Amino acid sequence: MEERFIVTVSGDEAVISAKGAFKTKDAEEFGLRLMPVVINNKRVVIDMTETEYICSGVLREMLAAQAKVDDSDDKELIITNVNDEIMEVFEMTGFINILTVE
Amino acid sequence: MEIFKFEADFNSWDTISEQINIELKEQGVSVSNIRKIMMALEEHISNIIKYNEASVNVELTMDILKDAAKFIIEDNGKKFNPEEVIDASTDEEVVRKRVGGMGITMVRRLMDETDYTYEEKNIFKMTKYLGEE
């Protein structure tokens, strides 16, 4: 997954470029890669420009990361450039009310 | 019409899902519909894999018509009717608790028709209309 989960750090901001389709088999690894980035950076942006689709398992990992952000006073997790279909999933699952999607 | 037969495990499904993705593209299905179909299939097949312990066999029939993509997914796993599961709540508090049912909700909302029957095996049908978006 390394080539599909690219982390770029600049100062205290990390941008994750998530590329391709993230299926159930990818969910655990997605979470294992995401959480340290969230822990070690003040602001994390998940750029989904090249994300085709995601699964409910990945949504759960995002939720876990969001919980870590919510527990802190100064962290941010932002999801950007989401395609219409993934946005529809965020809306139908209620995740749109929990995650910061721009 | 194409029929895919595979064992219910993530590696086998990964291979099959790639083939389905390619076939949908070759048949001219829109990117938007492909994404919705692939997400729905991913959720349903994942549930078959996750909720059965012993080796389960899956037969997935795909029929891409001019105005609809139809799928029939048969498995010999535990009897399970996803239509009996109510939609997952979108209430923030409930979502945060990660109560189940999200995948089934996704299938239901992403596809235009779903139907379940049991005839010595689970038979789940899902249809996506391919009209103008």
Side-chain angles (χ1 to χ4, degrees), chain B residues 22-87:
Chain B
I22 289 169
E23 183 61 25
L24 289 168
K25 282 179 191 158
E26 287 180 352
Q27 293 288 334
V29 177
S30 73
V31 168
S32 175
N33 279 328
I34 291 175
R35 287 176 180 154
K36 292 178 184 179
I37 290 167
M38 295 311 299
M39 284 195 280
L41 288 174
E42 178 67 32
E43 294 302 324
H44 186 76
I45 300 294
S46 292
N47 278 341
I48 294 171
I49 295 170
K50 285 189 291 187
Y51 296 113
N52 286 283
E53 290 130 12
S55 176
V56 168
N57 294 307
V58 179
E59 183 171 303
L60 190 159
T61 303
M62 176 171 74
D63 200 2
I64 304 170
L65 308 171
K66 189 181 162 196
D67 57 353
K70 294 177 181 269
F71 300 87
I72 303 172
I73 302 156
E74 301 173 55
D75 74 88
N76 61 349
K78 288 179 209 166
K79 185 177 179 184
F80 177 70
N81 181 357
E83 312 229 298
E84 290 177 352
V85 177
I86 58 170
D87 268 2

Side-chain angles (χ1 to χ4, degrees), chain A residues 59-60 63-64 90-99, chain B residues 88-100 102:
Chain A
L59 286 177
R60 289 192 187 90
L63 186 61
F90 283 153
E91 289 167 348
M92 71 177 66
T93 57
F95 273 65
I96 194 70
N97 300 320
I98 297 169
L99 302 172
Chain B
S89 172
T90 57
D91 178 80
E92 186 177 327
E93 210 173 298
V94 176
V95 175
R96 284 185 186 274
K97 286 181 185 168
R98 289 176 248 181
V99 173
M102 193 164 44

